[in-house]
Amino acid sequence: MSKQSAEHLRKAAEHHEHAAKHHRAAADHHEAGDHEKAGHQAHMAQAHHIQASHHAGEASKEHAKSKEHANEHAHH
């Protein structure tokens, strides 16, 4: 696995952690009855999930590239 893949996976994990924080905050606001704040936090969580998915996708692409590259070398 390439270093870039690992870096993207780390970023994906960070975004998932941020998303979790926002989800928790949204739950707290919901309990407190502040639905506007809860909605904002849920939206923020969603944004982080999208970023995490993006990084996970990039990691997969990098991984596929490095595998292809390794295969090329193996065949020569």
Side-chain angles (χ1 to χ4, degrees):
M1 180 162 297
S2 73
K3 252 167 102 164
Q4 278 145 318
S5 293
E7 201 50 44
H8 279 299
L9 289 174
R10 254 184 223 107
K11 284 206 168 84
E14 280 169 25
H15 281 294
H16 276 303
E17 283 159 14
H18 282 297
K21 277 183 204 157
H22 288 297
H23 277 305
R24 267 186 227 105
D28 292 345
H29 288 309
H30 259 303
E31 277 176 347
D34 192 337
H35 296 293
E36 200 177 315
K37 276 187 188 162
H40 174 70
Q41 287 297 328
H43 182 72
M44 294 290 283
Q46 191 60 35
H48 279 294
H49 273 302
I50 290 164
Q51 285 291 310
S53 296
H54 167 75
H55 283 295
E58 288 298 310
S60 295
K61 268 192 259 174
E62 287 294 337
H63 190 56
K65 259 197 289 191
S66 63
K67 249 169 67 177
E68 250 171 55
H69 201 67
N71 285 347
E72 278 171 28
H73 285 290
H75 292 302
H76 291 298

